[in-house]
Amino acid sequence: MFISFARLQIYFVIALLLIVVVYPLYLFGSVMGLDGFDLRRVGGDFYQFLLASRMAVAGQAAQLYDFGWFYDEVQRNVAGGSGFYAWVHPPSLLVFLVPLSGLTYLQAYSLWMGMGALLSFSVAFSRKAPIRAFTFFIFAPATLVNLFYGQFGMLAGGFLYGGLRLLDRHPAWAGVLLGCVSIKPELFMLIPIILIAHRSIIALCACVATVAFLVDASAVFFGSGLWWIYLDTVPSLLATVMDQGEGSFLYLIPSAFGAMRALGFSATAGYLVQLPFTVLAFVVVFWLFMCEREPIARNLAVTLCVLLATPFLFLWDYAVLSPALYLYATRTGLFDDDADSPFVAPLLLFAVYLLPIVNIALAAHGFPVGPIFTALALAAVLTRMVGIDQMQVSVGDEPEEGDNSLSDEREKDEGLGTT
């Protein structure tokens, strides 16, 4: 039996309708009632970023880490006043938020989300992609989750995949983009390992310089003691939240740790189960850079490893997967009706593609599938890479006309110059 992304499009359309039509109607009827629509219901988490930008410009950035004050302030200004709100982001994120401070909510929300979407799409752009493939990228479930919650997974995804895609051809720019991923520390933990395994001194130095610049800039503009406040308060708060969190909050965490907590196990058990996934991610990343690999497949595998490695993972973070999966599906023909491929691999990739919308429902019913889907998708990509490596080895001693086609295609696809 054979299958492709194109043949699975009907399931994507159904999922899309559930998100953009059914769920808003449900919220309107059961939560908001008939008292009118409040714009702050759209991207409710985004108010935190807008508040942070205004506090930073006013010279009161340190107050963001006063969790009691911050929680009360957000509760007063977010429609419904529900949910857990705490500022746990590093001060370096404020450097990117400052331009929002003088805008209205709608203007700031549109600029913030548009900036992330544009960057994410730009680093994955390919002139070879069919038009209908764009729907899988623009309306990806991870994109919609980011828009709904007002998070910045798309911005982090653009930095991450842009850095990976430039790593071979423009290591300095790659290091700059990967350094910017540090605004999301949970996604940054594998970046040093990636750069060390790649053995690119230029990229590593550029990454270190970028991180240092963001740290220094945030210290100079928002207070020299801000980083000490962050390091003194945030780690203990995160540990408490992960240990005591319950209910729907846990369904937003698709890591192995989150799966264990959603099943009712303790935080200690969650960390113990998370450890093998983290070790696996480290080992696979080193293996990926041991010899030359197909860049598109390698970068998808690296992105999946980044998601597997951290226990502090949320559904909107899966936006970092969209550019990598988009280019991989385009390159391997998964968007083509006439391109047959084995059933299992496309199905696993499609499952991890839909994960941001299915994990909440399945986790709520005792099936937190996030780490399983992600690990199986990684296995599918690695299996294909091993098969290609073996095929290249088998024909390596018998060069024929056209043998350089793969390297030519690789040279065209691995850079960002196609735009």
Side-chain angles (χ1 to χ4, degrees):
M1 184 177 185
F2 296 96
I3 200 166
S4 69
F5 265 35
R7 295 168 190 170
L8 284 169
Q9 192 165 11
I10 182 61
Y11 299 104
F12 166 75
V13 172
I14 292 173
L16 179 62
L17 289 175
L18 287 174
I19 292 179
V20 301
V21 178
V22 177
Y23 191 61
L25 289 176
Y26 165 77
L27 281 180
F28 185 82
S30 64
V31 180
M32 296 165 55
L34 301 176
D35 296 331
F37 181 77
D38 193 315
L39 185 62
R40 290 168 297 183
R41 272 291 182 183
V42 179
D45 287 357
F46 174 72
Y47 182 76
Q48 301 177 71
F49 304 117
L50 183 58
L51 174 62
S53 69
R54 293 171 177 172
M55 295 295 293
V57 170
Q60 300 175 320
Q63 199 166 0
L64 293 171
Y65 296 103
D66 181 344
F67 300 118
W69 176 88
F70 186 84
Y71 177 80
D72 292 339
E73 183 68 17
V74 176
Q75 290 289 324
R76 283 194 297 268
N77 288 278
V78 173
S82 59
F84 174 78
Y85 297 102
W87 185 256
V88 296
H89 305 288
S92 53
L93 177 60
L94 298 175
V95 176
F96 294 88
L97 291 173
V98 164
L100 306 179
S101 60
L103 303 178
T104 65
Y105 184 92
L106 180 59
Q107 292 170 339
Y109 173 82
S110 301
L111 177 62
W112 185 241
M113 303 311 299
M115 216 168 50
L118 180 61
L119 177 61
S120 186
F121 181 76
S122 297
V123 301
F125 181 79
S126 173
R127 286 177 290 187
K128 298 179 180 180
I131 295 298
R132 67 181 173 190
F134 294 156
T135 61
F136 280 84
F137 184 87
I138 297 173
F139 297 109
T143 302
L144 298 174
V145 168
N146 272 270
L147 292 173
F148 182 79
Y149 284 97
Q151 289 288 339
F152 62 107
M154 290 184 291
L155 185 65
F159 287 141
L160 175 61
Y161 194 72
L164 292 175
R165 201 174 176 195
L166 285 175
L167 200 53
D168 295 321
R169 300 184 66 183
H170 303 287
W173 284 111
V176 170
L177 290 174
L178 292 175
C180 290
V181 182
S182 61
I183 62 175
K184 243 186 182 314
E186 63 270 24
L187 300 181
F188 185 76
M189 60 184 293
L190 267 189
I191 300 299
I193 306 300
I194 291 170
L195 294 175
I196 293 172
H198 189 260
R199 300 184 293 277
S200 175
I201 300 299
I202 295 177
L204 181 59
C205 290
C207 180
V208 172
T210 301
V211 174
F213 170 78
L214 292 175
V215 171
D216 290 342
S218 57
V220 169
F221 291 112
F222 311 126
S224 58
L226 195 58
W227 276 95
W228 294 113
I229 297 173
Y230 167 76
L231 294 174
D232 185 52
T233 57
V234 169
S236 59
L237 175 71
L238 283 176
T240 301
V241 170
M242 291 300 176
D243 182 46
Q244 300 179 4
E246 58 184 16
S248 59
F249 170 75
L250 297 176
Y251 308 151
L252 298 173
I253 307 176
S255 63
F257 172 87
M260 292 299 291
R261 293 287 290 112
L263 290 173
F265 291 92
S266 66
T268 302
Y271 288 121
L272 289 176
V273 173
Q274 175 66 46
L275 182 61
F277 287 87
T278 303
V279 172
L280 172 67
F282 276 68
V283 172
V284 170
V285 164
F286 267 106
W287 177 82
L288 288 170
F289 290 99
M290 285 177 60
C291 60
E292 186 179 0
R293 310 282 183 188
E294 181 188 13
I296 301 298
R298 180 200 68 190
N299 293 342
L300 174 58
V302 169
T303 307
L304 288 166
C305 287
V306 168
L307 295 173
L308 277 176
T310 175
F312 308 115
L313 183 70
F314 289 88
L315 291 177
W316 43 80
D317 293 328
Y318 271 74
V320 306
L321 187 63
S322 297
L325 185 56
Y326 168 78
L327 270 184
Y328 182 83
T330 300
R331 176 66 177 273
T332 56
L334 294 180
F335 287 124
D336 302 331
D337 280 321
D338 56 350
D340 286 336
S341 57
F343 176 81
V344 175
L347 191 61
L348 290 175
L349 293 174
F350 197 73
V352 78
Y353 172 81
L354 289 180
L355 183 63
I357 61 173
V358 301
N359 188 80
I360 295 179
L362 293 179
H365 291 85
F367 298 98
V369 295
I372 298 174
F373 281 7
T374 307
L376 290 177
L378 176 62
V381 176
L382 295 179
T383 300
R384 180 179 179 274
M385 292 180 66
V386 171
I388 291 176
D389 290 343
Q390 292 176 346
M391 180 180 66
Q392 290 176 339
V393 170
S394 65
V395 301
D397 296 330
E398 301 178 5
E400 298 179 359
E401 183 179 356
D403 278 349
N404 292 328
S405 60
L406 180 59
S407 62
D408 292 340
E409 290 296 319
R410 183 179 305 172
E411 193 70 17
K412 292 177 184 178
D413 277 346
E414 67 183 2
L416 297 181
T418 51
T419 55

